[in-house]
């Protein structure tokens, strides 16, 4: 199933799909397993500077996972160059991998995307991505780790 902007708005207003599992930790437990920058971005809803993230220009095959809990979020096959300075994707790996939340901070209305398993802040989603979905998941590199595919040969 391909998610559309209409689906994203529906989830942000009416509730998100149930995750396969939940991971809950205290703030101290998160601080013990994350770097200070990963903690700032994922647990405090921070943003890394554009064009600064290690995964921005990565084109290795594999799965992008939540840096907090290891949940698969995006596949490398749907990553694209948006020119925004953050890794961009057109679809999540599964419909229930991502949680959507209306974000009214900084005097604008956006849709925040979080890991649906642990509520880690990932970034935001916009309706200006490539067809066929038209979606652009704009994700902080600090929120993800790339589990590279094993190459044959």
């Amino acid at each position: 199933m391909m998610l559309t902007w209409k689906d994203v708005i529906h989830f942000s207003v009416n509730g998100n799909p149930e995750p396969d599992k939940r991971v809950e930790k205290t703030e101290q437990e998160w601080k013990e397993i994350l770097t200070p920058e990963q903690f700032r971005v994922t647990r405090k809803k921070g943003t890394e500077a554009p064009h600064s993230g290690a995964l921005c220009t990565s084109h290795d095959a594999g799965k992008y996972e939540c840096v907090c809990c290891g949940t698969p979020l995006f596949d490398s096959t749907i990553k694209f160059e948006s020119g925004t300075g953050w890794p961009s994707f057109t679809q999540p790996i599964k419909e229930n991998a991502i949680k959507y939340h209306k974000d009214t901070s900084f005097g604008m209305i956006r849709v925040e995307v979080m890991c649906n398993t642990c509520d880690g802040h990932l970034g935001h989603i916009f309706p200006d991505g490539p067809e066929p979905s038209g979606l652009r998941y704009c994700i902080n590199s600090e929120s993800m780790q790339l589990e590279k595919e094993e190459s044959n040969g």
Side-chain angles (χ1 to χ4, degrees):
M1 173 190 158
M2 181 178 300
L3 291 175
T4 65
W5 185 244
K6 184 177 176 183
D7 298 321
V8 168
I9 296 302
H10 175 82
F11 289 144
S12 72
V13 172
N14 299 311
N16 289 283
E18 283 295 314
D20 292 341
K21 66 178 182 176
R22 288 285 301 156
V23 172
E24 312 238 353
K25 295 184 184 306
T26 65
E27 186 166 305
Q28 188 57 42
E29 288 172 316
W30 288 124
K31 283 183 176 178
E32 289 170 11
I33 62 170
L34 299 170
T35 68
E37 183 65 358
Q38 288 169 337
F39 181 83
R40 184 187 73 79
V41 170
T42 63
R43 309 321 303 177
K44 297 298 183 184
K45 301 186 185 299
T47 301
E48 65 199 19
H51 305 286
S52 68
L55 298 176
C56 231
T57 57
S58 171
H59 295 287
D60 293 323
K63 306 262 185 291
Y64 290 87
E65 300 174 341
C66 176
V67 73
C68 298
C69 69
T71 297
L73 301 170
F74 302 101
D75 190 275
S76 61
T77 59
I78 49 89
K79 186 174 190 259
F80 71 99
E81 289 298 326
S82 66
T84 61
W86 290 276
S88 297
F89 303 87
T90 58
Q91 288 286 299
I93 208 160
K94 287 173 67 176
E95 181 180 289
N96 69 345
I98 303 292
K99 177 185 274 189
Y100 304 89
H101 180 258
K102 183 179 175 182
D103 176 1
T104 56
S105 64
F106 302 108
M108 55 184 130
I109 299 173
R110 301 179 292 174
V111 177
E112 176 190 7
V113 288
M114 295 175 281
C115 173
N116 205 16
T117 301
C118 72
D119 296 340
H121 173 75
L122 303 172
H124 290 85
I125 184 171
F126 303 95
D128 61 3
E131 293 301 328
S133 75
L135 298 178
R136 174 172 56 93
Y137 288 79
C138 189
I139 309 298
N140 291 288
S141 285
E142 291 289 338
S143 299
M144 301 182 295
Q145 58 198 7
L146 176 60
E147 187 63 38
K148 293 181 183 177
E149 284 180 9
E150 295 296 319
S151 61
N152 299 340

